[in-house]
Amino acid sequence: MNIEATLKNYDLSKLKVVTIASHSSLQILRGAKRLGLGTVAVAKPGSGWFYRRFTFIDKVIEVDLGSMEQLAGDLVKDNSILIPHGSYVEYVGWRRALNMPIPTFGNRYIIEWEADQRKKMKLLEYAGIPIPKSFNDPTQVDRPVIVKLSGAKGGRGYFIAKDANELVSKLSSINVGDDYIIQEYVIGVPAYYHYFGSKVYGRVELFGMDLRYESNVDGRSFNLAEPTFVVVGNIPVVLRESLLPIVQKYGEGFSRAVAELVPPGMIGPYSLESIIRDDLSIIVFEFSGRIVAGTNVYMGIGSPYSVLYFDKPMDMGERIAHEIVNSVKRGKLIDILT
Ligand code: AMP
């Protein structure tokens, strides 16, 4: 879509933030309202009632997301900016999200890279970030591995094998033609970093971090069940300060790589997901080019790192709204939309 032409018809004093009612929408909409923006939640049929409980949401539209494109026309007339998140991409699919006719906060083109496990790892590698070793031939595997089926979501559809024999036997039970990658299973503790790529301030902010609470790896399974990584929640975490420079370096390296390979570069929230080994090396196995649900742990209280930039606690919803409001003030709203 032609964002420039669309924005010409926008009344910037009546901007609205719209998002799909799920994932991190409460945080996004609360932040937008606090900074004086209008707020709209688009809810799947049957789920709007919950979002109507909250006074910071001006309007809840209940609609089948199969007709999101039709709704987009009305939203544009209403001066809306869409904030994408994981559930939005999951519900409408990345192809439709790429073409959704509504100004979208951040770089929507990154979701195409996110959707493909191989492209995803290539982008991380290009950024100079250490990634787990990959194996093409199962018989060459010489260490524990994790197998990721293409299209697996939230850790569902992954399995672990401790060696080549177990891997070959487990692979024989998946469907012929299924696409998957075989990746070294990195031993250590997980840590997921939240960054914010700011056009307004021309910097990458290390904004927060979290841990995932995953069933059954975090459950009371007592070795009675196979490990599964279905995310059920998130837990806040801070790292030892001596690790922060490397985390910042990875965040900036990723931003530079995206600027080169996926113009117009990284805008707004993004995340790198890592395992930290016992030698304190950090291996990144995944990224998200938009807000992650792990930022919800700081909703309303702000992340500990946010005070380093703003001298007051801020959550990611407020940070997004701050960027929108300040881009408008500088006449640069177009720079943060695709
Ligand atoms: P993902 O859906 O890619 O975020 O992965 C789900 C979970 O699998 C992560 O939260 C990690 O706990 C685990 N995981 C994924 N890849 C690796 C890896 N290469 N080594 C160790 N754990 C991993």
Side-chain angles (χ1 to χ4, degrees):
M1 75 178 301
N2 185 336
I3 304 274
E4 202 171 353
T6 307
L7 286 188
K8 285 221 168 83
N9 297 319
Y10 267 40
D11 180 346
L12 297 182
S13 66
K14 292 194 178 133
L15 274 186
K16 292 187 178 58
V17 157
V18 53
T19 196
I20 305 303
S22 185
H23 193 270
S24 44
S25 67
L26 293 172
Q27 191 197 165
I28 291 168
L29 297 174
R30 177 187 168 276
K33 180 52 71 184
R34 277 175 70 82
L35 275 95
L37 300 166
T39 51
V40 180
V42 177
K44 276 182 166 180
S47 62
W49 66 270
F50 176 64
Y51 292 88
R52 291 194 183 94
R53 296 285 188 271
F54 303 102
T55 53
F56 59 82
I57 305 179
D58 298 333
K59 188 153 87 176
V60 178
I61 303 171
E62 219 166 295
V63 69
D64 182 337
L65 294 176
S67 50
M68 181 73 192
E69 282 80 357
Q70 283 94 295
L71 180 65
D74 289 339
L75 294 171
V76 164
K77 277 192 208 120
D78 215 7
N79 313 298
S80 306
I81 294 172
L82 177 78
I83 313 289
H85 54 54
S87 297
Y88 164 68
V89 178
E90 188 182 331
Y91 294 160
V92 307
W94 66 266
R95 285 184 185 82
R96 283 177 61 208
L98 277 185
N99 295 310
M100 197 57 72
I102 179 168
T104 299
F105 181 72
N107 179 353
R108 70 167 88 190
Y109 307 110
I110 190 100
I111 56 180
E112 185 175 352
W113 290 70
E114 240 182 274
D116 181 325
Q117 290 278 14
R118 290 184 180 84
K119 269 180 113 167
K120 184 184 280 182
M121 298 321 285
K122 221 191 275 171
L123 187 54
L124 288 169
E125 205 168 14
Y126 188 80
I129 296 170
I131 58 172
K133 188 173 161 58
S134 281
F135 296 90
N136 291 321
D137 178 355
T139 61
Q140 295 301 305
V141 161
D142 59 355
R143 64 192 78 188
V145 289
I146 181 164
V147 176
K148 301 182 175 183
L149 288 163
S150 183
K153 285 183 199 91
R156 225 182 266 275
Y158 288 5
F159 64 84
I160 291 174
K162 67 176 186 310
D163 54 29
N165 283 341
E166 189 179 327
L167 175 65
V168 171
S169 134
K170 282 186 167 172
L171 283 175
S172 66
S173 62
I174 68 172
N175 295 327
V176 182
D178 272 355
D179 192 26
Y180 55 83
I181 58 165
I182 303 168
Q183 201 174 71
E184 165 190 13
Y185 184 78
V186 184
I187 309 283
V189 290
Y192 305 87
Y193 316 113
H194 318 149
Y195 302 95
F196 192 94
S198 174
K199 289 277 180 192
V200 167
Y201 302 115
R203 67 189 183 198
V204 169
E205 296 163 6
L206 171 58
F207 214 70
M209 51 194 76
D210 74 289
L211 301 180
R212 297 241 189 96
Y213 201 40
E214 296 165 331
S215 204
N216 302 329
V217 283
D218 296 318
R220 299 173 184 190
S221 55
F222 307 113
N223 284 335
L224 296 170
E226 284 285 309
T228 56
F229 299 93
V230 178
V231 182
V232 295
N234 301 81
I235 302 166
V237 68
V238 288
L239 283 194
R240 39 196 294 178
E241 193 167 311
S242 57
L243 288 172
L244 297 185
I246 187 81
V247 173
Q248 178 75 23
K249 205 170 120 201
Y250 287 6
E252 291 181 7
F254 185 75
S255 173
R256 269 195 303 276
V258 175
E260 273 183 49
L261 299 183
V262 201
M266 217 49 259
I267 304 164
Y270 62 102
S271 169
L272 295 178
E273 305 177 7
S274 79
I275 302 288
I276 308 180
R277 291 188 160 125
D278 65 359
D279 62 1
L280 296 179
S281 59
I282 303 181
I283 313 296
V284 174
F285 59 87
E286 172 80 284
F287 71 79
S288 296
R290 32 92 197 153
I291 187 169
V292 287
T295 59
N296 287 335
V297 296
Y298 304 115
M299 178 160 58
I301 50 175
S303 79
Y305 299 105
S306 62
V307 298
L308 304 176
Y309 305 97
F310 297 99
D311 204 26
K312 65 171 183 186
M314 222 190 252
D315 66 32
M316 197 56 99
E318 292 163 332
R319 181 67 191 85
I320 292 170
H322 177 95
E323 191 80 0
I324 294 173
V325 167
N326 283 282
S327 297
V328 171
K329 277 188 194 152
R330 289 160 202 233
K332 299 237 161 136
L333 181 60
I334 192 153
D335 288 357
I336 60 168
L337 304 174
T338 54

